[in-house]
Amino acid sequence: MKRSIYLDHAATTYMKKEVLDAMIPYFSQNYGNPSSVHSFGREARKAIDKAREQTAKVLNARFDEIFFTGGGTESDNWAIKGVALANQNKGKHIITSAIEHHAVLYTCEFLEKNGFEVTYLPVDSYGMVDPQDVEKAIRPDTILVSIMFANNEIGTIQPIKEIGAITKEKGVYFHTDAVQAVGHVDIDVNDMNIDLLSLSSHKFYGPKGVGALYVRKGTKLTPIFHGGAQERNRRAGTENIPGIIGLGKAIELAYENMEENNKHLIRLRDKLINGIMDRIDNVRLNGHPTLRLPGNVNMSFEYIEGESLLLSLDLKGIAASSGSACTSGSLDPSHVLLAIGLSHEIAHGSLRMTLGDENTDEDIDYVLEVLPQIVRRLREMSPLFIQEKGGCQYV
Amino acid sequence: MYSEKVMDHFMNPRNVGEIENPDGVGEVGNAKCGDIMRISLKVENDVIVDVKFKTFGCGAAIATSSMATELVKGKTIDEALAITNKAVADALDGLPPVKMHCSVLAEEAIRKAIEDYKEKQKNKVGV
């Protein structure tokens, strides 16, 4: 029997049954527009208000600080462009990191082409931003610091609270792209002094195409969607009611069971990492060994290329991803792997496996059985690899 | 995204390895870009009697290397030089557009190995 093991939860997750059940009535039964005065509209209004409460609660935010969006990319675009436009009289300088998601990086590049200045902070070999670097980079004309909560490729969790303390003291807005962290990490926007936070529902077993932006009360933020009065005049467009309800249910479930889920994920994660280290030579773990997302495994296998690894795994029923250029359609491997100091060769040979709550010990055992054979086969084909009495070296 | 033929040549590549004391060797690409192909040839009476490859790269890189070695095996030097990257891609029932450069690399590796062979022949004649 062909097995099918999904190890790409950082790309997206399946949707939980309870989430789907919560959404179903809002497609054909309670289909009202929340902006309408009548009972149909009021029913929908009540439902999104509940989702807003569920979301606010887990972040320790206020009800009126949560704005629903079309996903993580929209939230990042809105936070960064919105702060830039609203605060350009104060200054035109933004600070971010070299390892952000493209939704942040390319938004910053867009602003650079439009008269803003951006500082891209480096990271250490674990992919960690140094809060002191943030402090040193802040200038009188700095209006925003945007540092991701946890990295999507290597899983490293950033010192968000330390950075928040600095931005608060300096009076600079602090945005964090928490798309990978929400549902897996405790987040308190007040304790951490976060002013804006992006999240996306399909990363925590909710539906795709819906997300949220937390905006601290009093933050000067220009809308990027103009039109109707939805989301208290800040994000026009009829709300994605079923999606928003799914997000609310999913975020509630994620935090209800987080401690237990994380324990399970961390155990499987470390079993996978240690198992690979024990069975395969010339391999390295990318990202921080402990300050990393519970389900993230990212490793580089020397002498081989990531796409051929993915294809081979897929043929064995294992779904994973890679930072190789061949999987991104560009010539360069992942900017994150290059930023932590990997050479192009090693970055091309990276493999990301991200675990989810349905993965089991048997799944990990199967990967540990199959992966060493695949790596051996590809290395035997590689001109970079020669076997020398049990060791190996570059030709 | 890949044809069945590409997957077949990726999973069961033909002519993997290196020829001992080859008559010609061609290596193209670099690890920085994620593709390296090395092709070695054995030539007798102007005919490629054996050919082997080693490749570091994606699925398409491995499959095009494998197919290129199949296409030149048993051919004369001139016949082998006439094989284009398109011929390699066609023999695999096509490649996705972003992977066409892999077939170019395969053609270049063959050419380079033949050039190396010709160079060595020239030196032999010179002696």
Side-chain angles (χ1 to χ4, degrees), chain A residues 301-348:
Chain A
F301 299 85
E302 289 186 51
Y303 319 115
I304 56 180
E305 192 277 332
E307 194 223 50
S308 44
L309 254 179
L310 291 188
L311 282 175
S312 307
L313 285 167
D314 187 41
L315 286 165
K316 296 280 183 187
I318 300 167
S321 85
S322 167
S324 148
C326 271
T327 57
S328 68
S330 77
L331 273 182
D332 283 320
S334 138
H335 65 286
V336 176
L337 297 178
L338 296 180
I340 62 170
L342 297 197
S343 68
H344 278 69
E345 292 91 311
I346 309 295
H348 281 299

Side-chain angles (χ1 to χ4, degrees), chain A residues 42 72 117 181 213 255 353 388:
Chain A
R42 287 198 304 273
E117 208 184 317
L213 182 66
Y255 280 90
M353 293 177 280
E388 270 194 354

Side-chain angles (χ1 to χ4, degrees), chain A residues 16-26 50 242 245-246 249:
Chain A
K16 281 194 193 294
K17 171 86 170 49
E18 299 96 304
V19 175
L20 180 63
D21 288 347
M23 291 168 71
I24 290 283
Y26 292 90
K50 184 179 170 198
I245 287 158
K249 186 69 190 169

Side-chain angles (χ1 to χ4, degrees), chain A residues 246-265:
Chain A
L247 184 157
K249 186 69 190 169
I251 207 167
E252 186 182 76
L253 286 174
Y255 280 90
E256 252 172 38
N257 308 315
M258 191 172 76
E259 211 172 315
E260 201 179 315
N261 284 343
N262 282 354
K263 234 199 258 170
H264 170 72
L265 288 175

